Amino acid sequence: MAVDKKLENALPEGFVVKSGKNIYRVVKVLGAGGFGITYKVIRQDGVVFAMKEFFRNELCERDEAQTISYLKSNKSTIETGIEDFITEAGRLNKQSISHPNIVSIYEVFKANNTAYYIMEYIAGVDLLHYIKNNGNKPLSLEQAISVMRPILQATSLLHKNNITHLDIKHENIILTKEDDNSLRPVLIDFGLSKHYDNKGKATSTLTAAGCTDGFAPIEQYSGLTEFTPEADVYALGATLLYLLSAKWPAKASDITTQQIVEALPFDIPEDTRDAILKAMRKDKGDRTSSVALFASHLGVDIDFQAGEGSVTHLLNIGGDTTPIKINNFRKPLIYGVIALAVIGGAIWIINRPKPTPSELLTEAIKNNDIESLEKFVKLDSVRSYLPYRVFSLMFRKTSFKTPEILIKTRA
């Protein structure tokens, strides 16, 4: 099985990263992209977090001590990237942007010649794997809207704080189970997010394009230096398209209106179809300009005081009816129990005590089984057996001399 090249340089399990005030031990790798690697870690007090590490896979290497190194020719790119990584993550932390559908960031620091930030660990499944684990079946419109509404609300809050996420997609929305069995969609991975001043100018200098084909708009491929909420609107439209079609959208430069229409179910309301088409227009000048406007086109209320909460009750990743839990755990368990039962049954059949000839004869006499009795007539091992002798004596009192005569007569 081929190993993902993005994971080849990941920190090994058990490796310890120190922030200065905390110690984090790597439990496992959660994922990797072009700009970083995400790990599940455990702090010295036993609390579990997710940790994002800045790592440009194509430009960086590690030595035996897991310290990052790079060529002098890449020094400016890497060091600028590290500073921007710290600035963007730190700003989310400092501004205390608190929303139940946005992953919380707790600590940002440098170590091993790179940078890290510690965030809330979201136990659950992302939308890509939710769809896959349910047989690649699309969500209904009601289900899709119930998932996207909290994400639209969360993204709108980011934009009000002059922050764009720039990597919204099915893989960066995690469904985590709440105590009441509802699912809370959480927007994660702010590795590409950018902050802008009041004039719309980026406060970080990194302009390298970080894009996911199918979800990033055309303008993002050349780098964004101005506040562009339309970029996130495009990604939100593409994510909704994926949920309703279960198909990965084509790259922004290649996708056509006809492809979008054909990917959507035939019974999707015209207003919903048009809202997605407007959100995914190639030219950002023609595209839906804000998340609020996109929500309005969908007929969705994202007002913070609206009655709907931050969860969906229409999807399920827990309990006996969920295909995710069955596929990942219960099905192998069931198969294992069946296999053990079959093996155990076979062993019992092979090793069970076999009846003696005398026991078989008794059964044949009880059932008046002439065919079986005929087999026992000449067996010396049963001639002395009491039921046989009684049987013979009984028939001597009739006109029959022996069991042999009885068998022949009845035949």
Side-chain angles (χ1 to χ4, degrees):
M1 182 177 178
V3 178
D4 188 340
K5 289 186 176 181
K6 292 178 181 178
L7 300 179
E8 285 181 347
N9 289 311
L11 294 171
E13 293 182 10
F15 185 79
V16 172
V17 178
K18 299 179 180 180
S19 70
K21 60 181 180 179
N22 288 304
I23 298 173
Y24 301 94
R25 179 173 56 83
V26 174
V27 177
K28 67 176 181 178
V29 180
L30 296 176
F35 285 78
I37 304 173
T38 305
Y39 307 88
K40 179 181 179 180
V41 297
I42 185 167
R43 199 169 60 187
Q44 71 268 18
D45 58 0
V47 180
V48 175
F49 295 94
M51 179 178 75
K52 183 69 177 275
E53 176 189 46
F54 179 83
F55 188 90
R56 291 290 297 272
N57 189 66
E58 77 284 10
L59 302 177
C60 298
E61 294 182 350
R62 294 187 197 275
D63 59 23
E64 293 182 357
Q66 303 302 330
T67 300
I68 288 179
S69 61
Y70 40 83
L71 297 175
K72 287 184 179 181
S73 57
N74 295 324
K75 181 178 180 181
S76 177
T77 299
I78 297 299
E79 291 184 352
T80 299
I82 288 173
E83 292 305 317
D84 287 341
F85 180 89
I86 291 173
T87 299
E88 298 302 331
R91 181 171 285 108
L92 284 168
N93 188 26
K94 285 180 181 178
Q95 289 187 339
S96 298
I97 295 179
S98 179
H99 192 280
N101 304 104
I102 297 176
V103 65
S104 299
I105 295 178
Y106 298 103
E107 186 177 8
V108 187
F109 60 92
K110 283 184 177 181
N112 304 318
N113 206 29
T114 188
Y116 301 85
Y117 64 78
I118 303 299
M119 54 187 167
E120 174 188 9
Y121 176 69
I122 309 294
V125 61
D126 62 57
L127 289 176
L128 171 63
H129 288 91
Y130 184 90
I131 295 290
K132 283 186 174 181
N133 291 340
N134 282 278
N136 283 317
K137 295 179 181 178
L139 302 185
S140 68
L141 178 59
E142 185 182 14
Q143 289 173 328
I145 293 298
S146 74
V147 171
M148 291 301 297
R149 180 191 174 278
I151 299 301
L152 291 170
Q153 189 186 74
T155 308
S156 180
L157 176 61
L158 291 175
H159 292 179
K160 287 179 180 179
N161 285 276
N162 294 334
I163 296 173
T164 49
H165 186 280
L166 301 181
D167 202 16
I168 297 172
K169 56 184 176 182
H170 49 3
E171 294 174 290
N172 283 339
I173 298 174
I174 303 291
L175 298 173
T176 186
K177 192 174 180 180
E178 300 292 279
D179 291 339
D180 63 354
N181 289 326
S182 63
L183 295 182
R184 176 168 56 99
V186 182
L187 185 60
I188 66 167
D189 198 346
F190 282 76
L192 297 180
S193 66
K194 292 183 73 67
H195 176 262
Y196 304 84
D197 61 23
N198 292 331
K199 295 182 179 180
K201 299 297 181 182
T203 55
S204 60
T205 57
L206 184 64
T207 59
C211 305
T212 299
D213 290 347
F215 296 88
I218 288 179
E219 66 269 16
Q220 193 169 329
Y221 285 84
S222 57
L224 299 172
T225 57
E226 296 183 350
F227 184 47
T228 313
E230 296 91 344
D232 282 345
V233 169
Y234 184 98
L236 290 167
T239 302
L240 179 56
L241 174 63
Y242 171 79
L243 295 181
L244 293 172
S245 66
K247 297 177 182 177
W248 197 299
K251 189 176 180 179
S253 57
D254 302 329
I255 198 167
T256 65
T257 297
Q258 183 177 351
Q259 287 176 325
I260 295 174
V261 172
E262 290 177 350
L264 291 168
F266 71 93
D267 58 348
I268 286 294
E270 185 177 352
D271 289 348
T272 303
R273 183 197 64 199
D274 290 346
I276 294 173
L277 288 172
K278 291 175 182 177
M280 294 183 66
R281 284 178 177 164
K282 284 185 169 62
D283 189 335
K284 72 174 182 179
D286 295 332
R287 193 180 308 147
T288 303
S289 59
S290 70
V291 175
L293 188 56
F294 179 41
S296 176
H297 290 164
L298 291 170
V300 177
D301 183 4
I302 61 169
D303 179 61
F304 291 101
Q305 303 303 318
E308 293 183 50
S310 59
V311 300
T312 172
H313 294 272
L314 302 180
L315 301 180
N316 182 17
I317 57 171
D320 291 337
T321 60
T322 168
I324 290 179
K325 193 170 184 179
I326 290 173
N327 288 341
N328 289 348
F329 174 70
R330 293 182 68 238
K331 188 178 286 185
L333 178 61
I334 291 170
Y335 289 162
V337 170
I338 292 173
L340 288 174
V342 171
I343 293 171
I347 293 173
W348 179 84
I349 290 172
I350 292 171
N351 295 323
R352 67 177 176 176
K354 295 182 179 179
T356 65
S358 298
E359 290 172 335
L360 291 173
L361 176 61
T362 300
E363 188 68 23
I365 292 172
K366 286 181 180 179
N367 297 328
N368 197 22
D369 186 350
I370 302 302
E371 184 178 350
S372 296
L373 284 170
E374 188 174 14
K375 296 177 182 178
F376 287 107
V377 167
K378 297 179 180 180
L379 290 178
D380 293 335
S381 61
V382 299
R383 285 183 181 273
S384 62
Y385 183 49
L386 181 60
Y388 176 88
R389 295 169 66 184
V390 173
F391 177 80
S392 300
L393 186 61
M394 287 172 58
F395 283 100
R396 283 197 184 99
K397 292 180 180 179
T398 66
S399 57
F400 300 108
K401 298 291 185 181
T402 63
E404 291 96 321
I405 296 173
L406 173 66
I407 292 170
K408 290 178 180 178
T409 302
R410 293 197 176 185

